[in-house]
Amino acid sequence: MMVLKCTVPFEMMAEQKITIWFFIYHLITPCFVYSLAVEEGNKGYGPVFEEQPIDTIYPEESSDGQVSMNCRARAVPFPTYRWKLNNWDIDLTKERYSMVGGRLVINNPEKSRDAGKYVCVVSNVFGTVRSSEATLRFGHLDPFPPEERYEVKVREGVGAVLLCDPPYHYPDDLSYRWLLNEFPVFIALDKRRFVSQTNGNLYIANVEASDKGNYSCFVSSPSITKSVFSKFIPLIPQSDRAKVYPADIKVKFKDTYALLGQNVTLECFALGNPVPELRWSKYLEPLPASAEISMSGAVLKIFNIQYEDEGLYECEAENYKGKDKHQARVYVQAAPEWVEHINDTERDIGSDLYWPCVATGKPIPTIRWLKNGASFRKGELRMQSLTFDDAGMYQCIAENTHGIIYANAELKIVASPPTFEFNPMKKKILAAKGGHVIIECKPKAAPKPKFSWSKGTELLVNGSRIRIWDDGSLEIINVTKLDEGRYTCFAENNRGKANSTGVLEMTEATRITLAPLNVDVTVGENATMQCIASHDPTLDLTFIWSLNGFVIDFEKEHEHYERNVMIKSNGELLIKNVQLRHAGRYMCTAQTIVDNSSASADLVVRGPPGPPGGIRIEEIRDTSVALTWSRGTDNHSPISKYTIQSKTFLSEEWKDAKTDPSDIEGNMESATVIDLIPWMEYEFRIIATNTLGTGEPSMPSPRIRTEGAPPNVAPSDVGGGGGSNRELTITWMPLSREYHYGNNFGYIVAFKPFGEKEWRRVTVTNPEIGRYVHKDESMPPSTQYQVKVKAFNNKGDGPFSLTAVIYSAQDAPTEIPTDVSVKVLSSSEMSVSWHHVTDKSVEGYQIRYWAAHDKEAAAQRVQVSNQEYSTKLENLKPNTRYHVDVSAFNSAGYGPPSSTIDVVTRKAPPSQRPRIISSVRSGSRYIITWDHVKAMSNESAVEGYKVLYRPDGQHEGKLFSTGKHTIEVPVPSDGEYVVEVRAHSEGGDGEVAQIKISGAAVGVPTLLLVLVVPALGVLACSGF
């Protein structure tokens, strides 16, 4: 071991500005005295992190073969890096590790050896810092067990839970979905089905026959990008007459601890038949503004949670059979966050240091300190009589159960003799006659020097008019002509001495000669504030106006404030279109670079009253509340009356409320608001009025809800009828929210056959529904019924509506359409016709058709009105056998179909287009010739050709038919024409060939041949 001793004479340190370094191998070891002192020309600094390691999850099945932890810092001189694992130094000479700068690379990582907490340690001559801890964990998601899952048999109408039971995994950030029968068919979630992202289970509120199938839990881990799925679980609904079951909450959120600013998800789902409605609330408070309800009410998500969102949350599930509730508490805590942290600091040698380091968090964080990477102190840091040994890299660490944060800073100890090189005294100091002056003396020195002053050759001492402050400044009060002269500041410490000199000159004092006077105006008028001053003629004078201590910005407030700048030494202020906010104390300050003088006056502004305050709501009833408030400012004109306004969620508009007493006089501070809507949320505000106008409204009151009451409005537009066979459909107009008057709102529907005495009643619990369908197999069709509807809530029932007369659904048609015939038109079209049935209730006819090789369930359908006797079926397949039938229908359903008719479509038209071989002009006509088109074996035979002669750019023209391979057309009299040729067969028309011809010079053949697939034009002539 080599020991180096370095001593430097004290005198050398004071006279010379040097830095001594010794180099030992690749490390730089400073001389003890200068090790961490700041000297002239020393530009170095300790390590400052630019990148620190972060928590990392390495998939155990990863093929990368390595994992890296990043660490980068800047420093002068360049730093060195070390790494620690679980507080033990890592041997970087092993082949498993490699370093690129400060970045640590671990090759072939193993969980048993490499999992743990990593810290990057960075050092240079100025000190050492430790990075924040970063955890390396190994992620995995095991396969599901290979054993088959048991089948689940459930009666229809009963709720079911399919367990996911996810395999062993890390981390616990899984997402869950469920497969139905095969991958990738995932079940759609709705009000009846829910997948919990807490345990992965699938919840079905009540099982239906359509739920039959094989279910598999599909689990994904986003951290390691891996997914697995379980063996299929057969779900077999058991046919049974559906019964009703009350709401039963099965997915229950637990007490939750959330960190400030996080997103919090609460789950709640209930089984029951019918499917329960889910409602969320917060005990004694509204839900947070950032809360969002999704998944048909099963999920409450609170975004960016704050401390005020902490509290007791409730989920309520209800159907008309019963309700269930669940409550749990949400606690909001916080990881440490800096309120005040340390920064790089320089201190004089021998001085004291208090380094504030304050963090907030919940629980309250503890504070500890590191110096050069080693444990130093706990709590606040105070140091007295600093020495060079105190210099170094410091780290303040705040931590609680939710996290840890670091603040890094370098402490440098400064030692130097006094010098005025960087901050000399002013050469010329001005002081106003009779005023006071402070002459600053701020040399650079460490430790802090002792100060003395002289005027000329006279040494100054503290007296009644002269004082030397601790910071070296000299203060002279009540300045006179005799105080003019040369002043010298002397500074001395244990490293040396220095001095600096300036000259003091006296000027005339600034005085306000005409001060502003108090002014009283009404809103909208103008006001003038006078201000004139005298000053030293060698100096420039400026005026500054302030209102209630705040300087007026004339550029921003130019609409209301204006200064008189035309007359020298006059600072008159004009206030235009005075408003209430302009009232207050105005101060005029006349100012030179040497001194200033001020005078004040008050501006009184009379206007409408200010907003009332302190609204309190008491005695909340179903249709009234009592309000109290405190008076606002009357703005120098007595308040004559108050107006109370209210607002509900039904409208954003504030409306005048009806009150008792109806006229609220200006000396009152309470009133009762009447004629409110029961069970409605209200906000209130109050407006004061005086003889000068109506003031601004108060802040809105806290939102309240009036007490409930039985409904007093009956549903309107009661009617119905129609529907499917053996059904009675009853409809009404649902009442809007303002008429609900209470919780658990719904409808009671009463009906009976015409002439009977006893009414049958049913309950509809959904307030948004205006329809009820009663099914009864014994109900005769088209029977007259009397129906009426009333509303109810938890406070009682409302009145019944007027009785309406409706009819039960008619029977579906029983007759079969006759004389059904089918005519094949082409390879893709056929025409179907029939005779009408005699039943007058028929609303139309349905034509079904399907290919012989398809199943009847795949049949396509065409519906026409009861006025039609035929229809055309299009887009059929060529040369294909089709089955066709016809049936009548009405609102009750479809009648029996006619006998099936089998037809075969034509073969497809020729796919080959004609090849035009010549276009020859002969006098006033063109002769167009083309090759014969041969149909293939699966195509219809060519029966002839269709030729369309049309102007270029148009779709209509003259149509010719011919059995030959040539045709003559007239020469166009103007512009170009297009001749289109296509083969014609019983399967339809084939592909098109076309040629352009023009009325150009005689004898010049047109040879431009253009093929278009298929026809571009619409052949308007019949038969084409």
Side-chain angles (χ1 to χ4, degrees):
M1 176 178 181
M2 179 180 293
V3 178
L4 297 181
K5 182 178 181 183
C6 174
T7 59
V8 178
F10 184 84
E11 295 76 15
M12 178 180 175
M13 295 173 62
E15 298 296 332
Q16 300 180 8
K17 300 171 182 177
I18 61 174
T19 301
I20 303 175
W21 303 93
F22 286 88
F23 293 87
I24 305 176
Y25 299 104
H26 64 285
L27 297 177
I28 304 173
T29 304
C31 177
F32 175 76
V33 175
Y34 286 93
S35 63
L36 297 169
V38 175
E39 292 290 341
E40 187 69 25
N42 185 355
K43 302 298 184 182
Y45 57 89
V48 178
F49 280 112
E50 293 183 331
E51 186 177 13
Q52 300 191 54
I54 59 174
D55 292 342
T56 302
I57 295 176
Y58 179 78
E60 292 183 3
E61 301 176 10
S62 174
S63 59
D64 292 347
Q66 65 178 29
V67 64
S68 60
M69 308 292 281
N70 293 333
C71 181
R72 186 174 76 253
R74 67 177 189 274
V76 176
F78 195 79
T80 59
Y81 295 87
R82 293 183 291 122
W83 281 87
K84 289 177 174 288
L85 170 58
N86 297 327
N87 225 23
W88 292 88
D89 286 334
I90 295 177
D91 185 357
L92 298 175
T93 61
K94 293 184 177 180
E95 292 185 359
R96 298 186 64 249
Y97 302 106
S98 59
M99 288 269 287
V100 180
R103 179 168 170 258
L104 173 67
V105 178
I106 307 170
N107 298 306
N108 301 317
E110 299 177 9
K111 182 177 180 180
S112 59
R113 290 199 292 180
D114 299 315
K117 296 181 178 180
Y118 286 76
V119 174
C120 173
V121 183
V122 188
S123 305
N124 76 354
V125 63
F126 290 100
T128 300
V129 289
R130 293 166 58 102
S131 72
S132 55
E133 291 182 344
T135 303
L136 174 61
R137 294 185 174 93
F138 286 73
H140 64 95
L141 176 58
D142 294 349
F144 275 94
E147 291 80 18
E148 295 293 333
R149 298 270 187 128
Y150 294 109
E151 66 181 16
V152 176
K153 295 182 178 180
V154 184
R155 295 195 314 275
E156 292 180 11
V158 177
V161 181
L162 302 185
L163 303 182
C164 179
D165 192 15
Y168 291 113
H169 58 274
Y170 183 86
D172 194 18
D173 61 348
L174 302 183
S175 63
Y176 302 91
R177 290 185 291 173
W178 280 77
L179 296 168
L180 177 59
N181 295 326
E182 60 182 353
F183 182 87
V185 179
F186 294 98
I187 68 166
L189 302 182
D190 49 30
K191 292 180 65 173
R192 200 172 57 85
R193 295 180 292 191
F194 176 70
V195 175
S196 170
Q197 296 303 308
T198 301
N199 55 29
N201 294 343
L202 170 62
Y203 297 83
I204 304 176
N206 51 67
V207 172
E208 298 177 353
S210 60
D211 293 323
K212 182 178 181 180
N214 298 310
Y215 292 78
S216 172
C217 181
F218 187 87
V219 182
S220 299
S221 173
S223 297
I224 62 173
T225 61
K226 181 181 178 182
S227 300
V228 295
F229 56 88
S230 69
K231 289 286 188 178
F232 281 94
I233 304 172
L235 175 62
I236 305 174
Q238 302 292 295
S239 214
D240 191 7
R241 182 177 179 182
K243 297 180 180 179
V244 293
Y245 299 95
D248 181 14
I249 296 178
K250 290 299 184 183
V251 179
K252 300 180 179 181
F253 59 99
K254 301 178 180 178
D255 285 350
T256 302
Y257 287 84
L259 291 183
L260 185 71
Q262 283 186 338
N263 298 335
V264 176
T265 300
L266 307 179
E267 295 182 340
C268 178
F269 190 76
L271 309 184
N273 189 23
V275 177
E277 294 290 330
L278 299 171
R279 290 185 290 272
W280 290 88
S281 61
K282 185 182 179 188
Y283 182 65
L284 296 180
E285 294 181 66
L287 287 174
S290 65
E292 182 180 286
I293 298 173
S294 60
M295 301 299 292
S296 300
V299 173
L300 173 67
K301 194 164 189 176
I302 306 171
F303 294 90
N304 188 26
I305 195 166
Q306 300 298 305
Y307 287 124
E308 57 267 25
D309 299 332
E310 186 174 271
L312 188 66
Y313 286 78
E314 179 179 276
C315 169
E316 181 181 78
E318 181 180 14
N319 60 15
Y320 72 82
K321 190 67 176 177
K323 68 170 65 175
D324 192 9
K325 293 184 179 180
H326 171 70
Q327 292 181 335
R329 187 168 291 276
V330 173
Y331 300 91
V332 181
Q333 300 196 334
E337 185 176 342
W338 291 120
V339 175
E340 185 177 9
H341 62 78
I342 58 175
N343 294 294
D344 290 345
T345 301
E346 290 184 0
R347 283 291 187 272
D348 294 347
I349 190 168
S351 63
D352 297 338
L353 171 68
Y354 167 57
W355 227 347
C357 187
V358 183
T360 184
K362 192 176 180 183
I364 297 174
T366 59
I367 302 292
R368 60 187 176 92
W369 294 80
L370 302 179
K371 179 185 176 185
N372 293 327
S375 180
F376 185 56
R377 290 186 188 175
K378 293 183 179 180
E380 66 176 21
L381 181 60
R382 294 181 183 271
M383 302 169 69
Q384 288 79 36
S385 302
L386 293 171
T387 68
F388 290 130
D389 289 340
D390 295 317
M393 299 301 300
Y394 287 78
Q395 294 179 276
C396 176
I397 303 173
E399 58 185 324
N400 64 10
T401 54
H402 301 299
I404 179 170
I405 53 176
Y406 291 72
N408 306 339
E410 180 179 358
L411 174 61
K412 289 186 176 181
I413 307 302
V414 179
S416 68
T419 176
F420 286 93
E421 179 181 355
F422 304 106
N423 194 19
M425 281 179 57
K426 292 181 179 179
K427 297 300 181 185
K428 184 178 180 180
I429 303 109
L430 300 177
K433 180 181 178 180
H436 81 283
V437 65
I438 295 177
I439 307 174
E440 292 184 339
C441 179
K442 294 184 177 180
K444 182 179 180 182
K448 181 180 178 181
K450 293 182 179 179
F451 296 96
S452 60
W453 283 83
S454 70
K455 179 190 176 190
T457 59
E458 178 189 358
L459 185 64
L460 300 177
V461 296
N462 287 337
S464 60
R465 291 195 316 112
I466 296 177
R467 178 163 183 184
I468 301 173
W469 293 94
D470 289 342
D471 65 357
S473 300
L474 174 67
E475 182 180 18
I476 306 173
I477 62 176
N478 195 17
V479 174
T480 68
K481 190 71 174 177
L482 296 176
D483 291 321
E484 290 185 326
R486 293 172 58 84
Y487 287 81
T488 302
C489 174
F490 298 91
E492 181 178 1
N493 66 9
N494 59 8
R495 293 176 172 263
K497 62 179 70 173
N499 62 75
S500 184
T501 300
V503 177
L504 176 64
E505 296 181 2
M506 192 184 73
T507 64
E508 290 297 323
T510 303
R511 296 283 184 267
I512 299 289
T513 58
L514 184 58
L517 300 175
N518 295 339
V519 182
D520 189 326
V521 295
T522 300
V523 168
E525 296 179 345
N526 294 341
T528 301
M529 292 279 190
Q530 60 188 8
C531 187
I532 299 177
S534 65
H535 67 291
D536 190 295
T538 64
L539 302 176
D540 291 329
L541 179 68
T542 59
F543 288 91
I544 298 173
W545 283 91
S546 62
L547 171 59
N548 297 327
F550 295 94
V551 175
I552 297 173
D553 187 331
F554 284 88
E555 288 189 4
K556 290 184 178 179
E557 297 280 350
H558 66 276
E559 291 184 1
H560 294 284
Y561 291 108
E562 185 179 300
R563 274 186 304 193
N564 187 343
V565 295
M566 302 302 293
I567 305 176
K568 189 176 181 180
S569 302
N570 190 337
E572 182 180 82
L573 173 66
L574 173 62
I575 311 170
K576 301 175 293 184
N577 187 20
V578 173
Q579 301 298 308
L580 290 172
R581 68 178 184 275
H582 298 141
R585 169 148 292 195
Y586 284 79
M587 177 180 286
C588 172
T589 302
Q591 179 174 289
T592 68
I593 61 172
V594 177
D595 67 340
N596 63 70
S597 179
S598 299
S600 300
D602 291 326
L603 174 64
V604 175
V605 181
R606 302 181 186 275
I615 299 179
R616 289 189 302 166
I617 304 176
E618 302 169 345
E619 301 178 20
I620 300 174
R621 297 189 172 89
D622 56 351
T623 60
S624 66
V625 297
L627 297 186
T628 62
W629 61 90
S630 59
R631 295 169 56 88
T633 59
D634 62 10
N635 291 323
H636 311 288
S637 179
I639 296 173
S640 57
K641 70 169 186 176
Y642 289 99
T643 302
I644 299 177
Q645 294 184 326
S646 65
K647 185 176 74 169
T648 70
F649 75 92
L650 299 173
S651 171
E652 289 299 314
E653 180 183 356
W654 288 93
K655 298 179 180 179
D656 290 352
K658 192 172 182 180
T659 61
D660 182 19
S662 56
D663 295 323
I664 306 172
E665 296 180 356
N667 60 354
M668 298 177 63
E669 294 185 8
S670 65
T672 300
V673 183
I674 60 176
D675 290 353
L676 299 177
I677 300 173
W679 196 247
M680 179 62 68
E681 290 184 346
Y682 279 95
E683 291 178 277
F684 299 95
R685 70 180 188 183
I686 303 173
I687 302 174
T689 302
N690 62 16
T691 57
L692 297 177
T694 299
E696 293 293 320
S698 67
M699 293 292 292
S701 70
R703 186 175 297 170
I704 61 97
R705 175 179 282 170
T706 52
E707 291 292 323
N712 63 8
V713 177
S716 61
D717 295 340
V718 176
S724 299
N725 197 18
R726 304 294 186 260
E727 288 183 353
L728 177 66
T729 301
I730 304 168
T731 60
W732 63 93
M733 179 65 69
L735 293 177
S736 59
R737 166 64 181 82
E738 60 189 293
Y739 298 113
H740 287 190
Y741 287 9
N743 201 4
N744 299 332
F745 182 85
Y747 301 97
I748 295 175
V749 181
F751 57 95
K752 67 183 182 69
F754 196 84
E756 291 190 9
K757 293 183 178 181
E758 186 175 347
W759 291 85
R760 181 168 181 176
R761 300 189 181 197
V762 295
T763 301
V764 177
T765 59
N766 189 336
E768 308 300 325
I769 289 179
R771 185 172 185 268
Y772 171 73
V773 178
H774 175 68
K775 295 185 178 182
D776 187 348
E777 293 300 325
S778 63
M779 182 188 301
S782 301
T783 301
Q784 193 178 50
Y785 276 81
Q786 291 178 296
V787 297
K788 57 185 179 179
V789 183
K790 68 178 178 179
F792 73 90
N793 61 22
N794 59 336
K795 295 293 184 179
D797 296 352
F800 268 115
S801 67
L802 296 175
T803 301
V805 176
I806 63 174
Y807 290 85
S808 62
Q810 56 196 359
D811 275 342
T814 57
E815 290 185 66
I816 299 174
T818 58
D819 293 339
V820 176
S821 65
V822 180
K823 180 180 179 181
V824 176
L825 303 179
S826 68
S827 61
S828 61
E829 296 177 332
M830 64 176 68
S831 173
V832 183
S833 61
W834 61 91
H835 281 176
H836 284 187
V837 298
T838 60
D839 189 346
K840 294 183 179 180
S841 71
V842 169
E843 298 175 2
Y845 294 89
Q846 174 177 268
I847 299 88
R848 296 192 309 161
Y849 60 100
W850 64 98
H853 57 268
D854 289 337
K855 295 182 179 179
E856 184 177 349
Q860 298 188 61
R861 293 167 170 80
V862 174
Q863 291 185 348
V864 297
S865 73
N866 59 6
Q867 302 298 315
E868 302 293 334
Y869 287 85
S870 65
T871 190
K872 183 188 290 186
L873 306 181
E874 300 176 325
N875 300 320
L876 305 175
K877 296 178 182 179
N879 198 26
T880 301
R881 179 178 296 278
Y882 280 90
H883 303 314
V884 182
D885 65 28
V886 181
S887 59
F889 69 86
N890 60 18
S891 60
Y894 296 94
S898 65
S899 300
T900 301
I901 297 177
D902 289 357
V903 291
V904 178
T905 54
R906 310 291 189 199
K907 290 182 179 181
S911 57
Q912 179 188 348
R913 63 179 57 85
R915 187 171 70 89
I916 300 176
I917 56 179
S918 69
S919 171
V920 180
R921 180 171 178 172
S922 176
S924 62
R925 305 187 71 79
Y926 270 100
I927 302 173
I928 312 296
T929 307
W930 58 89
D931 281 343
H932 177 62
V933 174
K934 288 187 177 181
M936 301 178 67
S937 60
N938 61 344
E939 296 175 343
S940 299
V942 176
E943 297 179 347
Y945 298 91
K946 289 182 178 180
V947 180
L948 179 65
Y949 176 70
R950 61 178 175 82
D952 189 20
Q954 298 184 20
H955 299 302
E956 297 182 359
K958 188 173 182 181
L959 181 65
F960 302 91
S961 295
T962 179
K964 301 178 182 179
H965 304 157
T966 182
I967 194 167
E968 293 184 9
V969 295
V971 173
S973 59
D974 184 26
E976 291 187 324
Y977 269 62
V978 176
V979 179
E980 296 180 352
V981 182
R982 68 179 76 195
H984 174 66
S985 69
E986 67 172 3
D989 297 335
E991 303 290 346
V992 176
Q994 72 176 26
I995 183 173
K996 287 185 179 179
I997 60 176
S998 67
V1002 179
V1004 180
T1006 301
L1007 300 177
L1008 175 63
L1009 303 182
V1010 182
L1011 300 182
V1012 177
V1013 185
L1016 293 176
V1018 175
L1019 304 183
C1021 299
S1022 61
F1024 188 69

